[in-house]
Amino acid sequence: DENERLRLFSPDRYSIRLHPGEGGITGIWDEVLERFCGDGEQTLRFAEQNNAIAYLDGIKRDMGIELSPPAFTTPLGYTYHIGDRISSIELDHIAAVGAIARVDEDHVWHTLPNAPGQEPVSIDRNSFERYLDTRCFEASEPEPQRVIAAQHTEQPTPETPQAVQNLMGQRVEIDGKLYNVDSADETVAHLSVVSSSSESNHDPEHRTEPVSAVLTRIADQGRELAPNISAYQALRAEHPEKLIGVRVGERLLFYGADAERAASALNRRLLQRDIPGMGETAVTGYDFGQWASGAKRLLEHGHSFVFAQPNETDGYDVINEADAKEYIPIGMELEIDGRKFVIDSVNFGTDEVSLRDVTFQNRQGFPIFRAEHIAFVRSFVEEQEREQPQPVTKPVAFYPAEKTHLPYDIEIQTLHIPEPEHDPPTAEPAEPEPPAMSEEEALILEQEGRAALSEMGEFVPDFDDAISQAEIDEPPAHRPVVSIPVDGEWQGFPSIAAAEQAAYADFKAASHRDAQNFHITDDALGVGGAKAKFRANMAAIHLLQELEFEGLQASPEQQEILSRYVGWGGLADAFDENKPNWSDEFAELYATLSPEEYAAARASTLNAHYTSPTV
């Protein structure tokens, strides 16, 4: 019948579809027969999607089907085209709409219709098709009337009695001023400006605002005060015993129980805000530019803390971290007013430190204690810490990652801790010089000495020819000595070059000594288009050549690179010098392999087959 004829000759009967689990290998799907097309008994597989599209056009011409841009289908049969609009219903029920610009073996590229100058951005093709199959994405033809509209859920009326009750006592910022909500009914809120201590004698400014407007403003302020929830929770889990302060805009903010403890120490007000991802929670903050002052106040009140600010990867970088126990370290010995004290205890509630006088600790009697303010004791702690000699490091050898084939550089340093300065030793009293000898006495002594030595058969040259004792005692030229660990033991070398050579030899020996068997754990091994597989093969070949040249055993990281070698099955284009889009790859491969290796690799394109990692 007519419907069956339309189905058989529909432009979308045949579509381009990824072969499941074969990493970018495409085929031609027949919607009527519900299977991939084949040539005889061999299912068609294409490493280059353009070849699949060209083959599909040939099928359409043979069947008399009008040529049109190809359709693409997902594993569950959802159809999409280049030019289709895609929409995604987000968590906040706002539709994000885009247009498909390009589809290749690995990615789907899309643009935003309302940003015509924008470069297309990509999404992994397998992920994109999974979103279509699960209806996280919707695809529609370009006509505006077919775009899936956002579905808005009905929000609760803000003027409910519960909402009004929650509003009481809140603070809201309007026109740059902070107001307190004194009272409210279901329609109107009565506000008074929050006065500073210097303005407490004046009547505060009053104003009225619609309850809905005040609730909206407070909700907006909650969003403005929200941190990156997942990154904040990760910090919270990593430092459960410390107050967590994160930068939001130009504020350093604390939340929940941390906010309640920090507000008292920082002398800041405590707000209650509906923070997205946290719900109704306490919030307090400090000017981020003054975080050092805030850190000192927290420590003076016995609070350990971590301060962090956002980074480019939607996480947080810690900029300061301190432990209150180290601020006033129990047991530390200090010298105050010429007497020696040991820090015995700290009472952060009263801001006092108990000091035990140990000046005369060896004498009998009761110990003497002294109480001082935390800030006073801290000044002596800082002074003593500054007087402690700091270790000095000096680099003696450096091995870049390119040389060691490790994912990091290696630097060998010497560590020197300066000795504390001592008073110079008192000079030894000089020995009295012998009385001066007359020329006649010296001549007689010289002649007697020569005669005595001649009798013993000794030859004594003239004093003018003799080598001075100073020259005999002069030490040889100083040679720098470098000590480094070799095979777990420290060894000395006469120069940095010798130490480098020994360290590299030890590194090569260790690579063989510590070699481990490699086990494949990545189920996605071998996934990717033809160009991606070629790059993985070449990376493995280059690495293997370097390892063989240097005589090194592959590290676990390098074994991971070697494991991505997938052979040359399906990559025959890389050996075809007449393929324009493979000319760079052909030149690289031809130059890298020896003639014998190249011939063997080229021959393997006919008999190499894909094997999944699970096999």
Side-chain angles (χ1 to χ4, degrees), residues 443-463:
L443 181 59
I444 294 173
L445 182 60
E446 177 183 337
Q447 291 174 346
E448 290 178 349
R450 283 174 177 269
L453 292 175
S454 297
E455 292 178 359
M456 293 185 292
E458 294 282 345
F459 170 74
V460 180
D462 291 338
F463 285 116

Side-chain angles (χ1 to χ4, degrees), residues 445-567:
L445 182 60
E446 177 183 337
Q447 291 174 346
E448 290 178 349
R450 283 174 177 269
L453 292 175
S454 297
E455 292 178 359
M456 293 185 292
E458 294 282 345
F459 170 74
V460 180
D462 291 338
F463 285 116
D464 293 338
D465 297 330
I467 301 175
S468 70
Q469 187 65 37
E471 292 175 329
I472 295 174
D473 294 339
E474 184 177 355
H478 175 70
R479 292 184 177 181
V481 177
V482 178
S483 295
I484 62 171
V486 176
D487 196 16
E489 296 182 1
W490 286 88
Q491 297 183 19
F493 297 89
S495 66
I496 292 177
E500 287 182 341
Q501 186 176 3
Y504 190 60
D506 182 60
F507 169 75
K508 291 199 294 184
S511 73
H512 291 274
R513 185 172 59 248
D514 302 331
Q516 301 176 5
N517 290 329
F518 181 77
H519 300 282
I520 295 176
T521 58
D522 185 6
D523 292 337
L525 194 66
V527 173
K531 293 292 182 76
K533 292 177 180 178
F534 177 87
R535 289 261 56 89
N537 281 358
M538 294 308 298
I541 290 173
H542 289 310
L543 174 58
L544 182 61
Q545 290 175 337
E546 291 182 16
L547 292 173
E548 291 177 344
F549 179 80
E550 296 288 348
L552 292 171
Q553 178 71 30
S555 66
E557 293 81 6
Q558 293 167 336
Q559 289 175 328
E560 185 76 29
I561 296 174
L562 296 174
S563 72
R564 298 194 183 104
Y565 179 88
V566 295

Side-chain angles (χ1 to χ4, degrees), residues 588-600:
E588 180 183 0
L589 184 60
Y590 192 83
T592 301
L593 300 180
S594 67
E596 295 78 13
E597 292 170 339
Y598 181 86

